[in-house]
Amino acid sequence: MIDWTRLTPLDAGGVTVGRAEAHPGFADPDYVRRRNLIADRARGHRVGEPSPRVRYTEAEHATWRRVHGALWRTQDGRVCPELLRARAVAPIPADGVPQHEEVSDRLQALTGFRFTLAGGIVPNKRFLGAMAEGYFHAVQYVRHPAMPLYTPEPDVLHDVFGHGIHLADPFFADLYRTVGRAASRVDSADALDLISRVYWFTLEYGVVLEHRGQPRAYGAALLSSYGELARFTRADLRPFDLTEMARMPYQVAGYQPVLFTVESPTHLADLLHAFLDDFDESTRHRLRLPAPAERGFVSHPPQR
Ligand SMILES: [Fe+2]
């Protein structure tokens, strides 16, 4: 398991982690102890095994309720309508942190997906590949209560409010399986990194331009971040571009300066299927995509 209190930009593969080290989620020893206690239970967990039940504290439930209220209101009008409809049936209780198994039972009935336990960063092959089998790696810990509307690493709020909404919708769930099937066919760090980047700039951070060019968020990281939902329209919005996605350094923590747009969820599906359906080890070379600008590779980046 990654010890986030000791994570440095170098450890993260040269990507920018900004000032995340100063966040109370990293600097408060009591919080870090609780977070690691929950995360450690993912050690040795095999994909598909049930997640253990967590006895959340009243403070953790209170953090959930506070973020739930703020996010729900902020998503209205900023998230694409297809996903707001999915939210209506997604397993997102208002009164407290749901258990993984409760979320999974609901998602499975809707799209066949289940959460499987993660303790932090998951290697690309495992994280992406599990999607082909209908499993999404999710964490159980809750962000720091002192700064509930921003977290520098993924937490259960991100996974439920972002990926839980996606995976309640058959159209988006199919895109996750498409990513998973491509990742299952390759093994090199380079090929997996390329899929991970396209996943990152679409299903984590993608934006739809609605009719009249109005930007609406569809990426899970945007859906689950109060701060980014409030300001993503001021980011550098660029049309979907595989060359830029392949090359561009991305922020592990902090707001993304560049976001990529599609015209509609159907347009997104066309682009992802065209890229991923015959993806193999030669895809970067065949499509003449550049190597990443930063040094080395990152495992599946943390999500917010
Ligand atoms: Fe995520």
Side-chain angles (χ1 to χ4, degrees):
M1 191 199 72
I2 296 289
D3 178 353
W4 283 90
T5 60
R6 287 201 288 270
L7 189 70
T8 67
L10 190 63
D11 293 329
V15 294
T16 307
V17 294
R19 288 179 42 74
E21 308 90 305
H23 189 277
F26 296 89
D28 173 350
D30 289 339
Y31 173 80
V32 170
R33 205 172 301 119
R34 169 70 175 163
R35 178 248 184 248
N36 287 350
L37 190 72
I38 293 173
D40 278 349
R41 297 167 83 185
R43 209 185 291 258
H45 182 86
R46 284 188 289 203
V47 174
E49 288 178 347
S51 296
R53 207 173 166 79
V54 177
R55 294 179 63 174
Y56 290 109
T57 64
E58 184 43 44
E60 287 166 336
H61 285 306
T63 298
W64 173 279
R65 286 193 293 272
R66 185 163 172 209
V67 179
H68 184 286
L71 260 185
W72 199 272
R73 287 190 301 275
T74 309
Q75 286 183 343
D76 289 331
R78 293 183 172 88
V79 168
C80 75
E82 292 84 352
L83 289 176
L84 288 178
R85 283 196 289 276
R87 185 183 71 172
V89 297
I92 312 179
D95 58 346
V97 193
Q99 297 292 328
H100 266 198
E101 293 305 293
E102 296 165 9
V103 173
S104 290
D105 289 349
R106 179 72 181 143
L107 295 180
Q108 185 162 21
L110 292 166
T111 64
F113 257 89
R114 295 189 72 83
F115 277 1
T116 193
L117 189 59
I121 288 183
V122 178
N124 276 333
K125 179 71 178 178
R126 174 171 170 157
F127 178 81
L128 300 168
M131 296 179 196
E133 308 302 323
Y135 290 106
F136 186 82
H137 282 81
V139 299
Q140 293 181 305
Y141 44 81
V142 181
R143 63 194 57 187
H144 196 281
M147 212 180 277
L149 298 180
Y150 173 74
T151 175
E153 64 163 340
D155 69 343
V156 65
L157 276 147
H158 163 76
D159 283 330
V160 175
F161 258 98
H163 301 291
I165 291 178
H166 282 177
L167 298 174
D169 182 87
F171 186 90
F172 275 83
D174 171 69
L175 300 182
Y176 280 69
R177 288 184 193 274
T178 301
V179 169
R181 282 193 291 266
S184 299
R185 288 196 298 273
V186 295
D187 288 303
S188 72
D190 180 75
L192 290 163
D193 177 76
L194 183 54
I195 298 171
S196 179
R197 287 166 162 277
V198 174
Y199 164 83
W200 174 259
F201 284 117
T202 57
L203 291 171
E204 288 288 354
Y205 277 98
V207 173
V208 165
L209 292 180
E210 285 199 319
H211 54 281
R212 293 195 298 250
Q214 194 66 20
R216 295 280 185 263
Y218 73 84
L222 298 177
L223 262 56
S224 61
S225 169
Y226 176 87
E228 284 202 282
L229 267 183
R231 70 171 294 284
F232 78 93
T233 56
R234 299 200 295 273
D236 181 358
L237 299 177
R238 302 182 190 174
F240 180 98
D241 183 334
L242 283 174
T243 300
E244 282 300 298
M245 291 177 186
R247 178 170 47 209
M248 185 176 292
Y250 46 65
Q251 300 266 117
V252 167
Y255 297 142
Q256 300 297 308
V258 176
L259 301 175
F260 292 95
T261 64
V262 293
E263 293 163 16
S264 64
T266 306
H267 183 217
L268 169 68
D270 289 346
L271 291 164
L272 288 182
H273 279 291
F275 175 61
L276 295 169
D277 284 354
D278 61 351
F279 190 94
D280 61 21
E281 295 285 356
S282 70
T283 295
R284 189 190 295 273
H285 177 73
R286 184 164 41 82
L287 298 183
R288 294 191 170 86
L289 297 174
E294 75 259 29
R295 181 170 49 81
F297 298 102
V298 235
S299 292
H300 169 66
Q303 324 127 36
R304 263 168 301 128

